[in-house]
Amino acid sequence: QVQLVESGPGLVRPSQTLSLTCIVSGDSITTRYYHWNWIRQPPGKGLEWMGAIDYSGSTYYSSSLKSRASISRDTSKNVFTLQLSSVTPEDTTVYYCARDPAGRYEYDYWGQGTQVTVSS
């Protein structure tokens, strides 16, 4: 059974960098042709795709976040991470990691989500 678990700080100060990790079990993040995604849901809004890293290590970003987001991975630990710089209170929301089997923005496994609050 594939499981994804997000971890990270619940509270981040404005202007700092948010760092989240998605721990994957039950499958390898290098398995063809999986894409491993970060998605968030701002309050009162729909899901927002932030970016992804695929089985080969290639990364993809939302155009609106590309200047602030960075996704990386550690294949030895089977995890991938999101770093979001220069956060503001508008980045306060629940963050999810999710698996897309073929890079088609269709997700078959999700983490439970982690709440991040940006506040001084």
Side-chain angles (χ1 to χ4, degrees), residues 1-4 22 24-28 31-37 39 47 49 80 96-112:
Q1 179 72 10
V2 178
Q3 289 189 320
L4 290 78
C22 185
V24 180
S25 60
D27 201 354
S28 171
T31 301
R32 288 185 178 183
Y33 295 95
Y34 294 157
H35 288 57
W36 303 92
N37 297 262
I39 298 165
L47 293 172
W49 177 78
F80 62 104
Y96 299 91
C97 55
R99 189 183 81 170
D100 172 356
R104 297 175 181 171
Y105 302 100
E106 298 173 347
Y107 311 104
D108 58 355
Y109 288 98
W110 292 75
Q112 80 284 359

Side-chain angles (χ1 to χ4, degrees), residues 80-100:
F80 62 104
T81 63
L82 168 71
Q83 290 194 313
L84 186 66
S85 64
S86 304
V87 297
T88 72
E90 285 67 40
D91 294 310
T92 296
T93 187
V94 179
Y95 289 75
Y96 299 91
C97 55
R99 189 183 81 170
D100 172 356

Side-chain angles (χ1 to χ4, degrees), residues 4-116:
L4 290 78
V5 178
E6 303 92 347
S7 67
L11 178 65
V12 184
R13 304 298 185 193
S15 81
Q16 292 188 339
T17 296
L18 165 66
S19 183
L20 297 175
T21 297
C22 185
I23 303 166
V24 180
S25 60
D27 201 354
S28 171
I29 61 173
T30 62
T31 301
R32 288 185 178 183
Y33 295 95
Y34 294 157
H35 288 57
W36 303 92
N37 297 262
W38 287 102
I39 298 165
R40 67 182 181 178
Q41 185 163 24
K45 298 184 180 180
L47 293 172
E48 177 186 13
W49 177 78
M50 302 180 70
I53 186 166
D54 73 12
Y55 64 98
S56 71
S58 296
T59 53
Y60 312 86
Y61 298 100
S62 162
S63 58
S64 64
L65 294 171
K66 187 173 184 178
S67 63
R68 297 199 292 133
S70 178
I71 299 175
S72 60
R73 67 180 185 173
D74 185 336
T75 57
S76 68
K77 297 179 180 179
N78 213 42
V79 305
F80 62 104
T81 63
L82 168 71
Q83 290 194 313
L84 186 66
S85 64
S86 304
V87 297
T88 72
E90 285 67 40
D91 294 310
T92 296
T93 187
V94 179
Y95 289 75
Y96 299 91
C97 55
R99 189 183 81 170
D100 172 356
R104 297 175 181 171
Y105 302 100
E106 298 173 347
Y107 311 104
D108 58 355
Y109 288 98
W110 292 75
Q112 80 284 359
T114 187
Q115 172 70 44
V116 174

